[in-house]
Amino acid sequence: MRVATWNVNSVKQRMPRLLPWLDQRAPDVVCLQETKLADDAFDALLRDALAERGYQAAAHGEGRWNGVAILSKVGLADVVTGVAGAPGFPHPEARAVAATCGGVRVYSVYVPNGRVPDSDHYAYKLAWLAALRDVLAGEREDLLVCGDVNIAPTDADVFDPAAYVGHTHVTEPERRALTALQDLGLRDVVRDRWPDERVFTYWDYRAGRFHQDLGMRIDLVLASGAVAGRVRAAWVDRHARKGAGPSDHAPVIVDLDTAPDGDIGPVVPPPSARKLPRG
DNA sequence: ATGACTCCAACGTGGAGA
């Protein structure tokens, strides 16, 4: 089963990239963020295109900002929108949707940005993450939490740690909140697969940041142990960030072995993929 | 360089993103 997560920065604007990408990569499950569409508009825009491709969809959006969705070819059961107990800003925002797809509980999340450390929005971000942790703690064993977490897990996940001092995405409280999710037993499967590599998922549109590979890794796939043990590939689809009209985020793609227990030991990367120099 | 780009609602321009 192929699972992907992609902050598309507007489904409407990304249609010329999203549909060819679905055909090219053929993911079974797609978690989308920043759809920026109300649910009726999402349905009107995508219903036919998704049906042609065999996808069901669970969208949770609003008119202007935010918005998440899950597309699935392998079932879409027990859809839940939002995070129980999470604060709003001040009203609840469309930042999470969950569904069971192919036997795995899948979350598509768009964590609040935080804007400026110690701001109200920053406090909102931390409180939202704490509520997410509490909900995930009650989830089933086979779990995937996918999305834009708006936190770089470590300094290796930003192109220049010094440039981010005093900014959100790298502060200790944010990283502790992310660690609290991982302490539930969730693995960061891309970093597990590429432990020493320069891997980013977001590059600012400005100043040729993508061309220079000056980015951040803030889009994650977190997997519970049983699912992490089934990972056979985990990578960032940089091709989708190239060319005309891209999102500022690239998709993350993860392939899972079909074995239900998946316990065939750790995955060892090929020699060519190890210890490459950074930069 | 307090920049650089893109998106949304709305039709001019400010907020948000990260």
Side-chain angles (χ1 to χ4, degrees), chain A residues 22-232:
Chain A
L22 290 174
D23 293 334
Q24 180 187 25
R25 302 306 189 194
D28 296 294
V29 178
V30 184
C31 297
L32 300 175
Q33 300 87 38
E34 288 207 77
T35 57
K36 298 187 177 180
L37 281 178
D39 294 346
D40 54 354
F42 184 98
D43 183 63
L45 182 66
L46 278 168
R47 181 180 51 233
D48 292 346
L50 294 180
E52 286 172 14
R53 292 166 173 81
Y55 288 104
Q56 297 173 275
H60 178 46
E62 52 194 287
R64 186 168 191 180
W65 307 116
N66 313 311
V68 289
I70 299 175
L71 317 181
S72 176
K73 292 181 174 181
V74 291
L76 192 71
D78 301 324
V79 172
V80 173
T81 59
V83 173
F89 194 77
H91 305 295
E93 298 181 309
R95 295 184 176 276
V97 61
T100 301
C101 308
V104 178
R105 191 69 178 157
V106 178
Y107 277 73
S108 177
V109 302
Y110 176 49
V111 174
N113 174 290
R115 299 182 188 166
V116 179
D118 302 322
S119 66
D120 289 349
H121 205 265
Y122 181 82
Y124 166 53
K125 179 179 194 172
L126 296 179
W128 194 93
L129 282 162
L132 177 64
R133 195 219 76 93
D134 290 347
V135 166
L136 296 178
E139 270 295 357
R140 51 182 290 168
E141 192 162 325
D142 291 337
L143 180 63
L144 278 171
V145 180
C146 307
D148 178 356
V149 302
N150 271 321
I151 300 167
T154 74
D155 280 353
D157 299 305
V158 297
F159 75 89
D160 180 6
Y164 285 93
V165 172
H167 293 257
T168 56
H169 295 63
V170 301
T171 68
E172 280 309 309
E174 291 168 279
R175 286 177 170 167
R176 281 199 297 272
L178 180 59
T179 300
L181 302 186
Q182 297 182 263
D183 285 347
L184 297 171
L186 296 171
R187 303 291 312 175
D188 176 353
V189 302
V190 167
R191 186 49 84 198
D192 283 354
R193 177 63 180 80
W194 306 101
D196 302 307
E197 316 305 318
R198 182 185 181 94
V199 181
F200 300 138
T201 64
Y202 161 86
W203 302 260
D204 197 300
Y205 282 122
R206 295 171 288 189
R209 287 280 182 88
F210 178 70
H211 179 70
Q212 302 168 74
D213 197 22
L214 304 179
M216 310 176 77
R217 193 174 69 93
I218 55 176
D219 301 271
L220 306 183
V221 174
L222 303 176
S224 61
V227 179
R230 293 168 54 191
V231 172
R232 293 297 170 263

